[in-house]
Amino acid sequence: MSNNEHYQDHISGKFNSELESLRNQLLAMGGLVEQQLVGSLEALQKIDTGDAETVIDRDAEVNRIEMSIDQECAAIIARRQPTASDLRLVLAITKANTDLERIGDEAAKVAKQVLRISDDAESPSKLIEVRHIGEHVAAMLRGALDAFARMDVSQAVEVVKRDAEVDREYGSAVRSLVTFMVEDPKCVGVILNEILALRSLERVGDHACNIAEHVVYLVEGLDVRHGRLDELREAISAS
Amino acid sequence: MSNNEHYQDHISGKFNSELESLRNQLLAMGGLVEQQLVGSLEALQKIDTGDAETVIDRDAEVNRIEMSIDQECAAIIARRQPTASDLRLVLAITKANTDLERIGDEAAKVAKQVLRISDDAESPSKLIEVRHIGEHVAAMLRGALDAFARMDVSQAVEVVKRDAEVDREYGSAVRSLVTFMVEDPKCVGVILNEILALRSLERVGDHACNIAEHVVYLVEGLDVRHGRLDELREAISAS
């Protein structure tokens, strides 16, 4: 029986309904944060201030759910005193919960950049880079949440792998946007807002990557944070 | 007996040496991260690539210590099955540990901006804003660590209060740097690197603020995240 099957079995068999409910709460939080991210990207694409404001307003709900999940994690540890993989699950949920809340924050920041861009309509925007990276990190978040839901290590590794691509794309997009700024100084304001939105999206990729790493930690018991991707794959294939 | 005295008493009396050692490890991690932040600010002030590289190299050590503290937290929960304030301490340490590691990341990002700024010497830099905000967030980090070491809620509240100032200063610095960019397009590259360094510093302020909020949670048992400062003060004075 692989670690993965063992883990699945453990979830369905021995975890009590509290742990199962906690895991579902995290996945629901993930779904809400994904909506927030997609909403902020749509607002950015259409420079739609109404959509942007919806995202900004809903950030308070994300924050409330984060606190409630954390309280539930603490209550379960105190009540059930879990050890081994049960404890690992609760600790991974509290860490992933923080990452999701920070992704929600970044989505709200992107939405705030939309309000600034809409105020500052001197120039057509160069939103193509932002859209591309936005789609990329939204797919990473979806992948990380799926990997968490199915405890799928190979999907988690794919998410980690994509993060390196996003970082490269971010660097190259910033360089090209700087060239536009130099060529056309009246675009400086708009383009700076785009660069700051890009940086938020790059951060979303980092957090999605963290969530994927928690999946590896859960299933394989390996702490793969801060490791290079090659080492991660090697460690997984050796385990 | 105030909550604070109760807490201090509890630490000295009942916490065993494992918990005390865990707390000391977190404070040592805090000291290292503070050095990283100050080092990155000095490198930025002098555009010193040697200092910047030292900060970048030492980030791996920060990452190793983060993982070791997290492992220790999980081991203590599994071994000792703490409840109430012992459990709160361990959970607050694991959260503060994440914030410290992210501050270390931001310091490394500032150091990387120094390498880019040194490559791109078209224009004198407008580093005055960066220096000012840098000093501000370094003081916040020091305050948050002191508040954690002494379980001092009023100092923690001061840190939270300063974060709002940093956010205002950040906004005003970015606006003034954009004006420079528009006036002198050949400075665009240098100034953008400064804006990105500023954004990293603003993020350091957010993480210092999170650490201060963990102190309030520890001493008062209040989860003050996402609350407005007034509500925080009100909740504390009512408790």
Side-chain angles (χ1 to χ4, degrees):
Chain A
M1 188 164 73
S2 76
N3 279 342
N4 195 1
E5 281 159 351
H6 169 74
Y7 200 82
Q8 290 289 3
D9 179 56
H10 191 71
I11 284 188
S12 52
K14 293 184 233 142
F15 269 36
N16 75 3
S17 61
E18 279 175 14
L19 280 173
E20 194 54 46
S21 141
L22 186 60
R23 193 166 152 276
N24 289 336
Q25 282 173 56
L26 184 83
L27 293 172
M29 164 87 165
L32 176 61
V33 166
E34 197 184 334
Q35 266 181 49
Q36 288 284 85
L37 176 63
V38 170
S40 74
L41 292 171
E42 279 171 7
L44 187 59
Q45 201 156 335
K46 299 180 283 174
I47 309 294
D48 181 326
T49 58
D51 279 6
E53 273 159 9
T54 305
V55 170
I56 294 166
D57 291 346
R58 215 163 36 182
D59 192 43
E61 190 185 339
V62 173
N63 294 342
R64 268 195 305 278
I65 298 175
E66 184 212 4
M67 292 198 292
S68 129
I69 291 177
D70 260 7
Q71 279 158 10
E72 190 59 25
C73 287
I76 285 182
I77 293 176
R79 241 190 339 254
R80 291 179 38 88
Q81 314 201 321
T83 56
S85 66
D86 296 12
L87 177 60
R88 275 216 306 260
L89 176 63
V90 179
L91 293 176
I93 285 175
T94 182
K95 294 270 177 186
N97 186 33
T98 305
D99 283 305
L100 287 173
E101 187 273 332
R102 303 262 159 95
I103 292 175
D105 268 359
E106 299 299 343
K109 280 183 191 177
V110 170
K112 284 175 194 160
Q113 300 295 350
V114 173
L115 300 186
R116 288 194 199 100
I117 291 171
S118 78
D119 283 346
D120 188 3
E122 302 137 347
S123 117
S125 122
K126 306 289 185 281
L127 286 170
I128 181 86
E129 285 85 358
V130 178
R131 188 154 54 215
H132 184 65
I133 293 184
E135 282 162 7
H136 213 144
V137 299
M140 282 177 69
L141 175 58
R142 208 170 310 117
L145 291 170
D146 277 359
F148 205 102
R150 298 189 286 117
M151 290 297 150
D152 181 336
V153 171
S154 62
Q155 188 170 15
V157 170
E158 283 310 303
V159 171
V160 175
K161 190 173 152 192
R162 293 188 80 164
D163 193 43
E165 283 170 50
V166 168
D167 290 349
R168 270 194 303 276
E169 285 171 3
Y170 167 74
S172 121
V174 168
R175 279 189 298 277
S176 103
L177 288 169
V178 167
T179 311
F180 287 128
M181 276 177 159
V182 174
E183 283 167 3
D184 188 0
K186 71 178 186 306
C187 302
V188 156
V190 161
I191 296 183
L192 177 66
N193 281 316
E194 290 181 24
I195 291 176
L196 294 177
L198 272 178
R199 196 173 211 191
S200 283
L201 295 176
E202 183 255 339
R203 222 51 90 116
V204 169
D206 289 346
H207 289 295
C209 189
N210 292 345
I211 295 169
E213 287 171 352
H214 298 316
V215 174
V216 181
Y217 169 71
L218 274 173
V219 179
E220 306 282 342
L222 295 171
D223 198 334
V224 293
R225 283 174 293 173
H226 314 306
R228 289 177 49 241
L229 185 65
D230 300 352
E231 290 160 16
L232 189 160
R233 287 167 171 271
E234 206 171 296
I236 290 168
S237 67
S239 72
Chain B
M1 188 161 75
S2 75
N3 278 343
N4 194 1
E5 281 161 352
H6 168 76
Y7 199 85
Q8 289 288 2
D9 180 55
H10 191 71
I11 284 188
S12 52
K14 292 185 234 139
F15 269 37
N16 75 4
S17 62
E18 278 175 14
L19 280 174
E20 194 56 45
S21 141
L22 185 60
R23 194 166 151 275
N24 289 335
Q25 282 173 54
L26 184 83
L27 292 172
M29 165 87 165
L32 176 60
V33 166
E34 197 184 333
Q35 265 181 50
Q36 288 285 86
L37 176 63
V38 170
S40 74
L41 291 171
E42 280 172 6
L44 187 60
Q45 202 158 334
K46 297 181 285 175
I47 309 293
D48 182 325
T49 58
D51 279 7
E53 273 157 10
T54 305
V55 170
I56 294 165
D57 291 347
R58 216 163 34 182
D59 192 42
E61 191 185 338
V62 172
N63 293 342
R64 268 196 305 278
I65 298 176
E66 185 211 4
M67 293 199 291
S68 127
I69 290 176
D70 261 5
Q71 279 158 10
E72 190 60 24
C73 286
I76 285 181
I77 293 176
R79 239 191 339 255
R80 291 178 39 88
Q81 313 200 320
T83 55
S85 66
D86 296 14
L87 177 60
R88 277 218 303 264
L89 177 62
V90 178
L91 293 177
I93 285 175
T94 183
K95 293 271 179 185
N97 187 34
T98 305
D99 283 306
L100 287 173
E101 188 272 333
R102 303 262 160 96
I103 292 175
D105 268 0
E106 299 298 344
K109 279 182 191 178
V110 170
K112 283 173 194 161
Q113 301 294 353
V114 173
L115 300 185
R116 289 193 198 100
I117 291 170
S118 77
D119 283 347
D120 189 4
E122 302 138 347
S123 118
S125 120
K126 306 287 184 281
L127 287 169
I128 182 85
E129 284 86 0
V130 179
R131 188 155 53 215
H132 184 65
I133 293 182
E135 282 163 7
H136 214 144
V137 299
M140 282 176 69
L141 174 58
R142 207 172 310 119
L145 291 170
D146 277 358
F148 205 102
R150 298 189 285 116
M151 290 299 149
D152 181 336
V153 171
S154 63
Q155 190 169 14
V157 171
E158 283 310 303
V159 171
V160 175
K161 191 174 149 192
R162 292 189 79 164
D163 193 42
E165 284 169 51
V166 167
D167 289 350
R168 271 194 302 276
E169 285 171 3
Y170 167 74
S172 120
V174 168
R175 280 190 298 277
S176 102
L177 289 168
V178 168
T179 311
F180 287 129
M181 277 177 159
V182 174
E183 283 168 1
D184 189 359
K186 70 178 188 305
C187 303
V188 156
V190 160
I191 296 183
L192 177 65
N193 281 317
E194 291 182 22
I195 290 176
L196 294 177
L198 272 179
R199 195 171 211 194
S200 284
L201 294 176
E202 183 255 339
R203 225 48 92 115
V204 169
D206 288 346
H207 289 296
C209 190
N210 293 344
I211 295 170
E213 288 171 352
H214 298 317
V215 174
V216 180
Y217 170 70
L218 274 174
V219 178
E220 306 282 341
L222 296 172
D223 199 333
V224 293
R225 285 175 292 172
H226 314 305
R228 288 179 49 242
L229 185 65
D230 299 352
E231 290 160 16
L232 187 160
R233 287 167 171 272
E234 206 172 295
I236 289 168
S237 68
S239 73

